[in-house]
Amino acid sequence: MDSLANSAVQRTKHATLARPDMGEFGRHELAILGAPCGDIQTLVARLLPLLAPQLRIGYVDADHAAGDSAAAEDASAVPSKPVPYVAENGLSAELVDKITYRQLNLTRALDRFSQPELLAHESVVLVNGNHFRARQQVVIVDPRKPLDKKLDRLTDVRLILLAGGQTELPAVLLEHLSAAPLPPVLPLNDTAKIAAFIKQWYQLAVPVLRGLVLAGGRSERMQTDKGALHYHGLDQRQHTAALLAEFCPDVRVSVRPDQAADLPAGLTALPDTFLNLGPLGGILSAFQADPNAAWLVLACDLPFLTRETLEYLVTNRQPARLATSFRSPWDAFPEPLVSIWEPRSYGQLLRFLSLGYSCPRKALINSDIELLAPPAPAELRNVNTPAERAAAEQELIG
């Protein structure tokens, strides 16, 4: 083969994967810069009572034990990543239970891969922008901290705050922001309005909700495909997909690869890429297809489930939590197969898989979720055996 033909052969070294839409520290992050670090810390402390517990807030800062010196905060002196705590006595990691909070000290440097992992449970991360970068920014106009040396950090300014005595925006800032509409401007001391802005900013970034019908099981107890059973004039895959379509712009049917060709017309298959893991495999395969969506997951063996119960789940969705689930009426645990799984749950499910657990319920039990009492508990009843199917058919007819 000549060199020209050789160059036409494209060798793919790595799989092409959809990547989560992450910043330096999380999906939703705001760097606050333009004022002394003490003022930024004070602002965050004022905001917390107004943001929590609706939002879980993480805060990123540097160690200020050496004081708030100009040299420490000068842009040219800012480290590119957080400075790690060096544990004493040769320890590479130290985990301390402080009773009211936990503290992890590491000797290894943090980076853009480990930082989001450490803060994965936080819905919003506020960052001291004097020291670290974040994808979006809040700028404080304060003459003590001129912005001319930090313009390269202002990549996506969402809010401008005026410190006491400031009434106009600096010309250098106006020029830097001239290519886009000017962000809202608020007084630095108006904590309530700043908190309201952050809540609105977060809501505008809530992930789209997609639907997933879990129909890839082998139905060994039923002795026939549960997804193909008819209780409402359609097979359960079609019926469940139709329920989801009222709330989701896109609905997929999770199946084993060998089942995809047998789906009824009008349904879109999402073949498992995580194999032999039961429902977990279907959920992980959905997140691999779109890691930036939230997935409303329904099992196909819930013939009693109604639109009203599903609407209650969607209406009470809490995107700031890892998932929104119903409490099972039979054991009080979360019901993973009638749940909204937010994008942050992808990493949590993979973590549990890496520890040898394939149970999505276990991940919910050990995570920060919104757990709802079902409005009609009987609707969460699964139908798994021929006897249960016969009883269900009689009840639905009656």
Side-chain angles (χ1 to χ4, degrees):
M1 184 179 295
D2 60 32
S3 59
L4 181 62
N6 241 337
S7 64
V9 177
Q10 298 295 319
R11 179 173 178 268
T12 302
K13 186 176 181 181
H14 302 291
T16 301
L17 297 176
R19 291 181 178 173
D21 185 18
M22 304 292 288
E24 294 291 321
F25 296 94
R27 290 178 179 272
H28 304 93
E29 59 180 18
L30 284 170
I32 306 172
L33 70 159
C37 291
D39 291 11
I40 293 173
Q41 292 172 334
T42 299
L43 173 60
V44 172
R46 294 194 337 246
L47 287 170
L48 285 179
L50 302 179
L51 297 176
Q54 179 182 349
L55 299 176
R56 288 184 61 101
I57 305 296
Y59 180 56
V60 175
D61 205 342
D63 188 346
H64 293 86
D68 210 12
S69 67
E73 294 183 24
D74 185 84
S76 62
V78 172
S80 60
K81 50 194 173 186
V83 180
Y85 172 85
V86 180
E88 299 176 357
N89 303 321
L91 294 174
S92 59
E94 180 184 32
L95 177 62
V96 182
D97 190 339
K98 294 285 190 176
I99 309 303
T100 56
Y101 68 94
R102 263 55 59 190
Q103 178 176 305
L104 176 62
N105 299 317
L106 303 171
T107 58
R108 66 178 173 87
L110 300 179
D111 53 49
R112 69 185 189 88
F113 301 106
S114 58
Q115 288 164 185
E117 182 182 16
L118 290 172
L119 296 170
H121 292 272
E122 314 311 317
S123 47
V124 171
V125 180
L126 301 179
V127 178
N128 184 336
N130 288 334
H131 293 279
F132 312 118
R133 299 176 185 269
R135 184 163 51 179
Q136 296 176 330
Q137 303 88 37
V138 173
V139 176
I140 301 174
V141 175
D142 186 323
R144 294 173 295 172
K145 291 291 179 184
L147 294 167
D148 53 340
K149 294 183 179 180
K150 298 180 180 177
L151 294 178
D152 64 313
R153 293 172 171 243
L154 307 184
T155 57
D156 188 0
V157 177
R158 292 307 177 102
L159 180 65
I160 299 173
L161 303 177
L162 297 176
Q166 303 303 302
T167 58
E168 296 183 357
L169 302 185
V172 65
L173 180 61
L174 287 172
E175 182 181 356
H176 183 75
L177 300 177
S178 60
L182 190 68
V185 180
L186 294 173
L188 178 59
N189 61 5
D190 197 336
T191 310
K193 286 187 178 179
I194 298 171
F197 170 85
I198 293 176
K199 289 180 181 179
Q200 182 184 41
W201 164 81
Y202 181 82
Q203 286 300 319
L204 290 174
V206 166
V208 65
L209 187 61
R210 303 196 187 283
L212 185 68
V213 181
L214 291 176
R218 299 189 180 277
S219 305
E220 293 176 348
R221 286 179 291 171
M222 184 63 76
Q223 302 168 22
T224 189
D225 189 345
K226 291 188 290 184
L229 297 178
H230 287 238
Y231 297 99
H232 302 280
L234 300 169
D235 80 19
Q236 274 299 104
R237 295 166 297 190
Q238 294 171 307
H239 175 72
T240 308
L243 279 177
L244 287 170
E246 296 194 46
F247 305 96
C248 306
D250 177 43
V251 178
R252 309 293 179 90
V253 180
S254 170
V255 292
R256 302 189 309 274
D258 61 288
Q259 294 176 299
D262 298 327
L263 279 183
L267 297 182
T268 303
L270 199 162
D272 286 348
T273 50
F274 290 78
L275 303 177
N276 303 316
L277 293 174
L280 177 66
I283 300 171
L284 286 175
S285 299
F287 276 122
Q288 187 179 51
D290 188 350
N292 298 308
W295 289 90
L296 173 48
V297 174
L298 292 182
C300 68
D301 58 359
L302 298 165
F304 296 100
L305 189 68
T306 65
R307 181 193 184 281
E308 289 70 27
T309 290
L310 203 55
E311 183 177 34
Y312 184 84
L313 178 66
V314 173
T315 301
N316 289 279
R317 173 190 176 190
Q318 295 296 326
R321 302 293 182 257
L322 185 133
T324 302
S325 300
F326 281 130
R327 179 184 291 108
S328 170
W330 294 281
D331 56 20
F333 289 128
E335 182 49 68
L337 308 188
V338 191
S339 290
I340 297 172
W341 294 82
E342 300 295 337
R344 286 187 296 119
S345 63
Y346 187 20
Q348 182 77 329
L349 290 170
L350 288 172
R351 186 170 74 86
F352 271 78
L353 180 61
S354 74
L355 294 172
Y357 296 97
S358 63
C359 176
R361 172 175 281 184
K362 189 175 292 293
L364 291 178
I365 292 171
N366 292 281
S367 301
D368 176 40
I369 69 170
E370 184 73 11
L371 191 57
L372 305 174
E379 292 186 16
L380 302 186
R381 180 172 139 204
N382 298 90
V383 176
N384 292 307
T385 67
E388 292 173 357
R389 171 189 176 185
E393 289 172 337
Q394 288 299 314
E395 291 180 48
L396 290 167
I397 292 173

